[in-house]
PDB file of all heavy atoms in Angstrom:
ATOM      1  N   LEU A 242      -2.823   3.215 -35.518  1.00  0.00           N
ATOM      2  CA  LEU A 242      -2.621   3.780 -36.842  1.00  0.00           C
ATOM      3  C   LEU A 242      -1.583   4.890 -36.749  1.00  0.00           C
ATOM      4  O   LEU A 242      -1.306   5.406 -35.658  1.00  0.00           O
ATOM      5  CB  LEU A 242      -3.932   4.362 -37.390  1.00  0.00           C
ATOM      6  CG  LEU A 242      -5.151   3.442 -37.453  1.00  0.00           C
ATOM      7  CD1 LEU A 242      -6.400   4.245 -37.794  1.00  0.00           C
ATOM      8  CD2 LEU A 242      -4.932   2.324 -38.473  1.00  0.00           C
ATOM      9  N   ASP A 243      -1.056   5.269 -37.901  1.00  0.00           N
ATOM     10  CA  ASP A 243      -0.186   6.440 -37.954  1.00  0.00           C
ATOM     11  C   ASP A 243      -1.076   7.659 -38.154  1.00  0.00           C
ATOM     12  O   ASP A 243      -1.275   8.138 -39.268  1.00  0.00           O
ATOM     13  CB  ASP A 243       0.832   6.288 -39.089  1.00  0.00           C
ATOM     14  CG  ASP A 243       1.784   7.474 -39.173  1.00  0.00           C
ATOM     15  OD1 ASP A 243       1.753   8.315 -38.249  1.00  0.00           O
ATOM     16  OD2 ASP A 243       2.536   7.560 -40.151  1.00  0.00           O
ATOM     17  N   ASN A 244      -1.608   8.170 -37.049  1.00  0.00           N
ATOM     18  CA  ASN A 244      -2.604   9.231 -37.138  1.00  0.00           C
ATOM     19  C   ASN A 244      -2.032  10.578 -37.567  1.00  0.00           C
ATOM     20  O   ASN A 244      -2.753  11.412 -38.118  1.00  0.00           O
ATOM     21  CB  ASN A 244      -3.301   9.400 -35.782  1.00  0.00           C
ATOM     22  CG  ASN A 244      -4.154   8.192 -35.437  1.00  0.00           C
ATOM     23  OD1 ASN A 244      -5.080   7.846 -36.150  1.00  0.00           O
ATOM     24  ND2 ASN A 244      -3.821   7.536 -34.331  1.00  0.00           N
ATOM     25  N   ASP A 245      -0.751  10.834 -37.293  1.00  0.00           N
ATOM     26  CA  ASP A 245      -0.180  12.137 -37.619  1.00  0.00           C
ATOM     27  C   ASP A 245       0.788  12.082 -38.795  1.00  0.00           C
ATOM     28  O   ASP A 245       1.471  13.066 -39.085  1.00  0.00           O
ATOM     29  CB  ASP A 245       0.508  12.743 -36.399  1.00  0.00           C
ATOM     30  CG  ASP A 245       1.559  11.828 -35.784  1.00  0.00           C
ATOM     31  OD1 ASP A 245       1.732  10.714 -36.313  1.00  0.00           O
ATOM     32  OD2 ASP A 245       2.181  12.231 -34.785  1.00  0.00           O
ATOM     33  N   GLY A 246       0.860  10.933 -39.462  1.00  0.00           N
ATOM     34  CA  GLY A 246       1.639  10.827 -40.680  1.00  0.00           C
ATOM     35  C   GLY A 246       3.138  10.988 -40.512  1.00  0.00           C
ATOM     36  O   GLY A 246       3.836  11.378 -41.455  1.00  0.00           O
ATOM     37  N   ASP A 247       3.645  10.641 -39.332  1.00  0.00           N
ATOM     38  CA  ASP A 247       5.085  10.790 -39.104  1.00  0.00           C
ATOM     39  C   ASP A 247       5.848   9.487 -39.247  1.00  0.00           C
ATOM     40  O   ASP A 247       7.026   9.407 -38.916  1.00  0.00           O
ATOM     41  CB  ASP A 247       5.342  11.410 -37.721  1.00  0.00           C
ATOM     42  CG  ASP A 247       4.905  10.492 -36.574  1.00  0.00           C
ATOM     43  OD1 ASP A 247       4.289   9.443 -36.859  1.00  0.00           O
ATOM     44  OD2 ASP A 247       5.158  10.841 -35.404  1.00  0.00           O
ATOM     45  N   GLY A 248       5.173   8.458 -39.744  1.00  0.00           N
ATOM     46  CA  GLY A 248       5.836   7.178 -39.955  1.00  0.00           C
ATOM     47  C   GLY A 248       5.952   6.340 -38.696  1.00  0.00           C
ATOM     48  O   GLY A 248       6.663   5.332 -38.698  1.00  0.00           O
ATOM     49  N   ARG A 249       5.254   6.728 -37.641  1.00  0.00           N
ATOM     50  CA  ARG A 249       5.274   5.970 -36.382  1.00  0.00           C
ATOM     51  C   ARG A 249       3.851   5.731 -35.908  1.00  0.00           C
ATOM     52  O   ARG A 249       2.927   6.473 -36.259  1.00  0.00           O
ATOM     53  CB  ARG A 249       6.076   6.719 -35.309  1.00  0.00           C
ATOM     54  CG  ARG A 249       7.551   6.827 -35.620  1.00  0.00           C
ATOM     55  CD  ARG A 249       8.296   7.536 -34.493  1.00  0.00           C
ATOM     56  NE  ARG A 249       7.935   8.947 -34.405  1.00  0.00           N
ATOM     57  CZ  ARG A 249       8.324   9.753 -33.412  1.00  0.00           C
ATOM     58  NH1 ARG A 249       9.054   9.265 -32.416  1.00  0.00           N
ATOM     59  NH2 ARG A 249       7.973  11.023 -33.403  1.00  0.00           N
ATOM     60  N   ILE A 250       3.689   4.692 -35.110  1.00  0.00           N
ATOM     61  CA  ILE A 250       2.364   4.304 -34.618  1.00  0.00           C
ATOM     62  C   ILE A 250       2.395   4.269 -33.093  1.00  0.00           C
ATOM     63  O   ILE A 250       3.329   3.719 -32.490  1.00  0.00           O
ATOM     64  CB  ILE A 250       1.952   2.933 -35.196  1.00  0.00           C
ATOM     65  CG1 ILE A 250       1.690   3.063 -36.707  1.00  0.00           C
ATOM     66  CG2 ILE A 250       0.714   2.371 -34.503  1.00  0.00           C
ATOM     67  CD1 ILE A 250       1.392   1.759 -37.404  1.00  0.00           C
ATOM     68  N   ASN A 251       1.377   4.866 -32.494  1.00  0.00           N
ATOM     69  CA  ASN A 251       1.170   4.826 -31.031  1.00  0.00           C
ATOM     70  C   ASN A 251       2.282   5.523 -30.254  1.00  0.00           C
ATOM     71  O   ASN A 251       2.536   5.177 -29.102  1.00  0.00           O
ATOM     72  CB  ASN A 251       1.055   3.371 -30.524  1.00  0.00           C
ATOM     73  CG  ASN A 251      -0.105   2.623 -31.145  1.00  0.00           C
ATOM     74  OD1 ASN A 251      -1.059   3.220 -31.616  1.00  0.00           O
ATOM     75  ND2 ASN A 251      -0.029   1.306 -31.134  1.00  0.00           N
ATOM     76  N   GLU A 252       2.911   6.533 -30.837  1.00  0.00           N
ATOM     77  CA  GLU A 252       4.060   7.138 -30.145  1.00  0.00           C
ATOM     78  C   GLU A 252       3.680   8.338 -29.277  1.00  0.00           C
ATOM     79  O   GLU A 252       4.532   8.864 -28.556  1.00  0.00           O
ATOM     80  CB  GLU A 252       5.135   7.561 -31.166  1.00  0.00           C
ATOM     81  CG  GLU A 252       4.924   8.918 -31.821  1.00  0.00           C
ATOM     82  CD  GLU A 252       3.854   8.931 -32.904  1.00  0.00           C
ATOM     83  OE1 GLU A 252       3.342   7.840 -33.239  1.00  0.00           O
ATOM     84  OE2 GLU A 252       3.534  10.011 -33.410  1.00  0.00           O
ATOM     85  N   ASP A 253       2.420   8.785 -29.309  1.00  0.00           N
ATOM     86  CA  ASP A 253       2.048   9.945 -28.482  1.00  0.00           C
ATOM     87  C   ASP A 253       0.630   9.762 -27.958  1.00  0.00           C
ATOM     88  O   ASP A 253      -0.325  10.346 -28.462  1.00  0.00           O
ATOM     89  CB  ASP A 253       2.167  11.246 -29.281  1.00  0.00           C
ATOM     90  CG  ASP A 253       2.137  12.478 -28.373  1.00  0.00           C
ATOM     91  OD1 ASP A 253       1.999  12.304 -27.148  1.00  0.00           O
ATOM     92  OD2 ASP A 253       2.241  13.608 -28.887  1.00  0.00           O
ATOM     93  N   GLY A 254       0.525   8.939 -26.919  1.00  0.00           N
ATOM     94  CA  GLY A 254      -0.772   8.692 -26.300  1.00  0.00           C
ATOM     95  C   GLY A 254      -0.936   9.483 -25.018  1.00  0.00           C
ATOM     96  O   GLY A 254      -0.295  10.519 -24.813  1.00  0.00           O
ATOM     97  N   GLU A 255      -1.808   9.008 -24.139  1.00  0.00           N
ATOM     98  CA  GLU A 255      -2.071   9.688 -22.864  1.00  0.00           C
ATOM     99  C   GLU A 255      -0.801   9.753 -22.021  1.00  0.00           C
ATOM    100  O   GLU A 255      -0.072   8.794 -21.883  1.00  0.00           O
ATOM    101  CB  GLU A 255      -3.158   8.937 -22.081  1.00  0.00           C
ATOM    102  CG  GLU A 255      -4.496   8.837 -22.785  1.00  0.00           C
ATOM    103  CD  GLU A 255      -5.232  10.150 -22.856  1.00  0.00           C
ATOM    104  OE1 GLU A 255      -4.791  11.123 -22.214  1.00  0.00           O
ATOM    105  OE2 GLU A 255      -6.246  10.218 -23.559  1.00  0.00           O
ATOM    106  N   GLY A 256      -0.571  10.913 -21.371  1.00  0.00           N
ATOM    107  CA  GLY A 256       0.649  11.074 -20.570  1.00  0.00           C
ATOM    108  C   GLY A 256       1.814  11.327 -21.540  1.00  0.00           C
ATOM    109  O   GLY A 256       1.603  11.856 -22.613  1.00  0.00           O
ATOM    110  N   TYR A 257       3.114  11.114 -21.221  1.00  0.00           N
ATOM    111  CA  TYR A 257       3.460  10.196 -20.181  1.00  0.00           C
ATOM    112  C   TYR A 257       4.270  10.900 -19.087  1.00  0.00           C
ATOM    113  O   TYR A 257       5.246  11.601 -19.369  1.00  0.00           O
ATOM    114  CB  TYR A 257       4.274   9.023 -20.761  1.00  0.00           C
ATOM    115  CG  TYR A 257       4.697   8.035 -19.735  1.00  0.00           C
ATOM    116  CD1 TYR A 257       3.795   7.106 -19.251  1.00  0.00           C
ATOM    117  CD2 TYR A 257       5.982   8.069 -19.199  1.00  0.00           C
ATOM    118  CE1 TYR A 257       4.167   6.193 -18.309  1.00  0.00           C
ATOM    119  CE2 TYR A 257       6.352   7.147 -18.235  1.00  0.00           C
ATOM    120  CZ  TYR A 257       5.441   6.213 -17.795  1.00  0.00           C
ATOM    121  OH  TYR A 257       5.799   5.316 -16.833  1.00  0.00           O
ATOM    122  N   TYR A 258       3.824  10.730 -17.872  1.00  0.00           N
ATOM    123  CA  TYR A 258       4.629  11.012 -16.691  1.00  0.00           C
ATOM    124  C   TYR A 258       4.273   9.927 -15.698  1.00  0.00           C
ATOM    125  O   TYR A 258       3.260   9.247 -15.823  1.00  0.00           O
ATOM    126  CB  TYR A 258       4.323  12.403 -16.125  1.00  0.00           C
ATOM    127  CG  TYR A 258       2.856  12.652 -15.867  1.00  0.00           C
ATOM    128  CD1 TYR A 258       2.280  12.321 -14.645  1.00  0.00           C
ATOM    129  CD2 TYR A 258       2.037  13.203 -16.849  1.00  0.00           C
ATOM    130  CE1 TYR A 258       0.927  12.535 -14.399  1.00  0.00           C
ATOM    131  CE2 TYR A 258       0.686  13.422 -16.612  1.00  0.00           C
ATOM    132  CZ  TYR A 258       0.136  13.094 -15.396  1.00  0.00           C
ATOM    133  OH  TYR A 258      -1.195  13.302 -15.163  1.00  0.00           O
ATOM    134  N   ASP A 259       5.127   9.749 -14.694  1.00  0.00           N
ATOM    135  CA  ASP A 259       4.921   8.669 -13.734  1.00  0.00           C
ATOM    136  C   ASP A 259       4.628   9.286 -12.370  1.00  0.00           C
ATOM    137  O   ASP A 259       5.517   9.869 -11.748  1.00  0.00           O
ATOM    138  CB  ASP A 259       6.158   7.776 -13.656  1.00  0.00           C
ATOM    139  CG  ASP A 259       5.920   6.505 -12.847  1.00  0.00           C
ATOM    140  OD1 ASP A 259       5.069   6.541 -11.931  1.00  0.00           O
ATOM    141  OD2 ASP A 259       6.594   5.495 -13.116  1.00  0.00           O
ATOM    142  N   PRO A 260       3.391   9.144 -11.866  1.00  0.00           N
ATOM    143  CA  PRO A 260       3.070   9.731 -10.561  1.00  0.00           C
ATOM    144  C   PRO A 260       3.919   9.184  -9.420  1.00  0.00           C
ATOM    145  O   PRO A 260       4.033   9.837  -8.384  1.00  0.00           O
ATOM    146  CB  PRO A 260       1.591   9.360 -10.369  1.00  0.00           C
ATOM    147  CG  PRO A 260       1.077   9.068 -11.735  1.00  0.00           C
ATOM    148  CD  PRO A 260       2.226   8.506 -12.501  1.00  0.00           C
ATOM    149  N   ASN A 261       4.521   8.010  -9.620  1.00  0.00           N
ATOM    150  CA  ASN A 261       5.368   7.442  -8.567  1.00  0.00           C
ATOM    151  C   ASN A 261       6.841   7.788  -8.765  1.00  0.00           C
ATOM    152  O   ASN A 261       7.722   7.113  -8.244  1.00  0.00           O
ATOM    153  CB  ASN A 261       5.191   5.927  -8.482  1.00  0.00           C
ATOM    154  CG  ASN A 261       5.667   5.376  -7.151  1.00  0.00           C
ATOM    155  OD1 ASN A 261       5.521   6.019  -6.108  1.00  0.00           O
ATOM    156  ND2 ASN A 261       6.257   4.184  -7.168  1.00  0.00           N
ATOM    157  N   ARG A 262       7.114   8.862  -9.508  1.00  0.00           N
ATOM    158  CA  ARG A 262       8.458   9.428  -9.593  1.00  0.00           C
ATOM    159  C   ARG A 262       8.397  10.921  -9.264  1.00  0.00           C
ATOM    160  O   ARG A 262       9.308  11.668  -9.590  1.00  0.00           O
ATOM    161  CB  ARG A 262       9.054   9.228 -10.999  1.00  0.00           C
ATOM    162  CG  ARG A 262       9.063   7.790 -11.503  1.00  0.00           C
ATOM    163  CD  ARG A 262       9.941   6.880 -10.680  1.00  0.00           C
ATOM    164  NE  ARG A 262      10.004   5.539 -11.258  1.00  0.00           N
ATOM    165  CZ  ARG A 262       9.200   4.533 -10.935  1.00  0.00           C
ATOM    166  NH1 ARG A 262       8.235   4.717 -10.026  1.00  0.00           N
ATOM    167  NH2 ARG A 262       9.324   3.343 -11.499  1.00  0.00           N
ATOM    168  N   ASP A 263       7.337  11.325  -8.583  1.00  0.00           N
ATOM    169  CA  ASP A 263       7.033  12.738  -8.347  1.00  0.00           C
ATOM    170  C   ASP A 263       7.208  13.141  -6.885  1.00  0.00           C
ATOM    171  O   ASP A 263       6.932  14.270  -6.510  1.00  0.00           O
ATOM    172  CB  ASP A 263       5.575  12.997  -8.798  1.00  0.00           C
ATOM    173  CG  ASP A 263       5.125  14.423  -8.627  1.00  0.00           C
ATOM    174  OD1 ASP A 263       5.734  15.319  -9.235  1.00  0.00           O
ATOM    175  OD2 ASP A 263       4.148  14.667  -7.869  1.00  0.00           O
ATOM    176  N   TRP A 264       7.686  12.216  -6.033  1.00  0.00           N
ATOM    177  CA  TRP A 264       7.716  12.451  -4.593  1.00  0.00           C
ATOM    178  C   TRP A 264       9.059  13.062  -4.171  1.00  0.00           C
ATOM    179  O   TRP A 264      10.097  12.779  -4.763  1.00  0.00           O
ATOM    180  CB  TRP A 264       7.438  11.152  -3.847  1.00  0.00           C
ATOM    181  CG  TRP A 264       6.076  10.618  -4.166  1.00  0.00           C
ATOM    182  CD1 TRP A 264       5.695   9.957  -5.307  1.00  0.00           C
ATOM    183  CD2 TRP A 264       4.897  10.747  -3.372  1.00  0.00           C
ATOM    184  NE1 TRP A 264       4.359   9.659  -5.268  1.00  0.00           N
ATOM    185  CE2 TRP A 264       3.833  10.126  -4.086  1.00  0.00           C
ATOM    186  CE3 TRP A 264       4.639  11.301  -2.123  1.00  0.00           C
ATOM    187  CZ2 TRP A 264       2.539  10.064  -3.588  1.00  0.00           C
ATOM    188  CZ3 TRP A 264       3.341  11.242  -1.624  1.00  0.00           C
ATOM    189  CH2 TRP A 264       2.309  10.629  -2.346  1.00  0.00           C
ATOM    190  N   GLY A 265       9.009  13.872  -3.127  1.00  0.00           N
ATOM    191  CA  GLY A 265      10.144  14.691  -2.739  1.00  0.00           C
ATOM    192  C   GLY A 265      11.183  13.998  -1.890  1.00  0.00           C
ATOM    193  O   GLY A 265      11.556  14.518  -0.829  1.00  0.00           O
ATOM    194  N   TRP A 266      11.635  12.841  -2.315  1.00  0.00           N
ATOM    195  CA  TRP A 266      12.777  12.185  -1.669  1.00  0.00           C
ATOM    196  C   TRP A 266      13.677  11.610  -2.758  1.00  0.00           C
ATOM    197  O   TRP A 266      13.253  10.772  -3.554  1.00  0.00           O
ATOM    198  CB  TRP A 266      12.333  11.083  -0.715  1.00  0.00           C
ATOM    199  CG  TRP A 266      13.504  10.429  -0.030  1.00  0.00           C
ATOM    200  CD1 TRP A 266      14.110   9.263  -0.378  1.00  0.00           C
ATOM    201  CD2 TRP A 266      14.252  10.952   1.070  1.00  0.00           C
ATOM    202  NE1 TRP A 266      15.176   9.014   0.434  1.00  0.00           N
ATOM    203  CE2 TRP A 266      15.291  10.036   1.356  1.00  0.00           C
ATOM    204  CE3 TRP A 266      14.148  12.104   1.856  1.00  0.00           C
ATOM    205  CZ2 TRP A 266      16.201  10.228   2.372  1.00  0.00           C
ATOM    206  CZ3 TRP A 266      15.064  12.297   2.875  1.00  0.00           C
ATOM    207  CH2 TRP A 266      16.068  11.368   3.130  1.00  0.00           C
ATOM    208  N   LYS A 267      14.924  12.098  -2.818  1.00  0.00           N
ATOM    209  CA  LYS A 267      15.881  11.680  -3.849  1.00  0.00           C
ATOM    210  C   LYS A 267      15.296  11.860  -5.253  1.00  0.00           C
ATOM    211  O   LYS A 267      15.567  11.059  -6.166  1.00  0.00           O
ATOM    212  CB  LYS A 267      16.318  10.225  -3.633  1.00  0.00           C
ATOM    213  CG  LYS A 267      16.921   9.950  -2.268  1.00  0.00           C
ATOM    214  CD  LYS A 267      18.223  10.677  -2.043  1.00  0.00           C
ATOM    215  CE  LYS A 267      18.819  10.341  -0.678  1.00  0.00           C
ATOM    216  NZ  LYS A 267      20.078  11.047  -0.422  1.00  0.00           N
ATOM    217  N   TRP A 268      14.505  12.921  -5.417  1.00  0.00           N
ATOM    218  CA  TRP A 268      13.905  13.204  -6.727  1.00  0.00           C
ATOM    219  C   TRP A 268      14.995  13.552  -7.740  1.00  0.00           C
ATOM    220  O   TRP A 268      15.997  14.193  -7.407  1.00  0.00           O
ATOM    221  CB  TRP A 268      12.921  14.360  -6.591  1.00  0.00           C
ATOM    222  CG  TRP A 268      12.168  14.688  -7.846  1.00  0.00           C
ATOM    223  CD1 TRP A 268      10.975  14.170  -8.252  1.00  0.00           C
ATOM    224  CD2 TRP A 268      12.557  15.615  -8.865  1.00  0.00           C
ATOM    225  NE1 TRP A 268      10.587  14.714  -9.458  1.00  0.00           N
ATOM    226  CE2 TRP A 268      11.553  15.606  -9.870  1.00  0.00           C
ATOM    227  CE3 TRP A 268      13.660  16.451  -9.037  1.00  0.00           C
ATOM    228  CZ2 TRP A 268      11.616  16.405 -11.004  1.00  0.00           C
ATOM    229  CZ3 TRP A 268      13.733  17.247 -10.186  1.00  0.00           C
ATOM    230  CH2 TRP A 268      12.714  17.216 -11.144  1.00  0.00           C
ATOM    231  N   GLN A 269      14.806  13.103  -8.984  1.00  0.00           N
ATOM    232  CA  GLN A 269      15.715  13.433 -10.078  1.00  0.00           C
ATOM    233  C   GLN A 269      14.897  13.857 -11.292  1.00  0.00           C
ATOM    234  O   GLN A 269      13.776  13.372 -11.496  1.00  0.00           O
ATOM    235  CB  GLN A 269      16.592  12.234 -10.445  1.00  0.00           C
ATOM    236  CG  GLN A 269      17.559  11.791  -9.356  1.00  0.00           C
ATOM    237  CD  GLN A 269      18.704  12.767  -9.158  1.00  0.00           C
ATOM    238  OE1 GLN A 269      18.966  13.624  -9.997  1.00  0.00           O
ATOM    239  NE2 GLN A 269      19.387  12.647  -8.016  1.00  0.00           N
ATOM    240  N   PRO A 270      15.420  14.751 -12.125  1.00  0.00           N
ATOM    241  CA  PRO A 270      14.668  15.218 -13.302  1.00  0.00           C
ATOM    242  C   PRO A 270      14.490  14.112 -14.335  1.00  0.00           C
ATOM    243  O   PRO A 270      15.133  13.068 -14.282  1.00  0.00           O
ATOM    244  CB  PRO A 270      15.523  16.367 -13.838  1.00  0.00           C
ATOM    245  CG  PRO A 270      16.895  16.108 -13.309  1.00  0.00           C
ATOM    246  CD  PRO A 270      16.714  15.430 -11.982  1.00  0.00           C
TER     247      PRO A 270
END
Side-chain angles (χ1 to χ4, degrees):
L242 305 170
D243 181 9
N244 292 300
D245 55 359
D247 66 353
R249 294 182 292 172
I250 291 175
N251 300 337
E252 84 284 354
D253 194 359
E255 300 289 351
Y257 179 78
Y258 53 89
D259 189 331
N261 199 35
R262 306 296 184 268
D263 181 61
W264 298 77
W266 181 262
K267 303 295 182 181
W268 184 90
Q269 295 288 344

